[in-house]
Amino acid sequence: MKEYSANYSYRGRWFDFRFCAKSNKDAAKILDCSPYYISNYCTHQKTDSPYPEIYVKPYCHKAKKDIGHNNEMLFEDAKNIIDKVAEKWNSQFNK
């Protein structure tokens, strides 16, 4: 098992991702990107204690502003916050 580190975006907000996967192909499925991106722009190292969660840390100003802190958190929690902010922003223009 390998622990991957990647800088990737979700809805225009960039995050530092940290997760475990068996191969580059599995890591590409987790991030929903190409195996080329994984092999060329991500790092990995072998780990003896894999974990199923995906952790993110805000990287850009928008992500830090929306999340509200610079701590590492679960991707699902960050995704929920970003989705709420994006829906609120979209509702302003769909009146």
Side-chain angles (χ1 to χ4, degrees):
M1 190 67 78
K2 301 173 188 174
E3 181 182 41
Y4 286 85
S5 297
N7 189 282
Y8 202 66
S9 70
Y10 176 74
R11 293 189 89 161
R13 282 92 173 154
W14 286 85
F15 294 95
D16 288 327
F17 282 79
R18 184 172 59 90
F19 59 94
C20 290
K22 290 183 181 181
S23 65
N24 286 355
K25 189 175 180 180
D26 292 337
K29 287 180 184 176
I30 290 172
L31 279 186
D32 192 26
C33 66
S34 68
Y36 175 85
Y37 186 87
I38 297 294
S39 62
N40 290 301
Y41 300 108
C42 302
T43 61
H44 68 275
Q45 61 186 13
K46 288 192 175 195
T47 182
D48 294 330
S49 56
Y51 47 89
E53 299 89 6
I54 302 171
Y55 293 98
V56 294
K57 185 175 182 180
Y59 182 74
C60 71
H61 173 71
K62 279 186 179 179
K64 289 179 182 178
K65 179 182 163 195
D66 292 342
I67 299 295
H69 52 78
N70 199 17
N71 295 332
E72 192 172 59
M73 63 189 310
L74 291 173
F75 178 55
E76 289 301 318
D77 296 339
K79 190 181 347 181
N80 290 335
I81 294 169
I82 297 299
D83 288 343
K84 287 178 186 175
V85 169
E87 291 301 322
K88 182 180 174 184
W89 191 82
N90 285 338
S91 68
Q92 293 176 354
F93 297 104
N94 294 331
K95 289 183 180 179

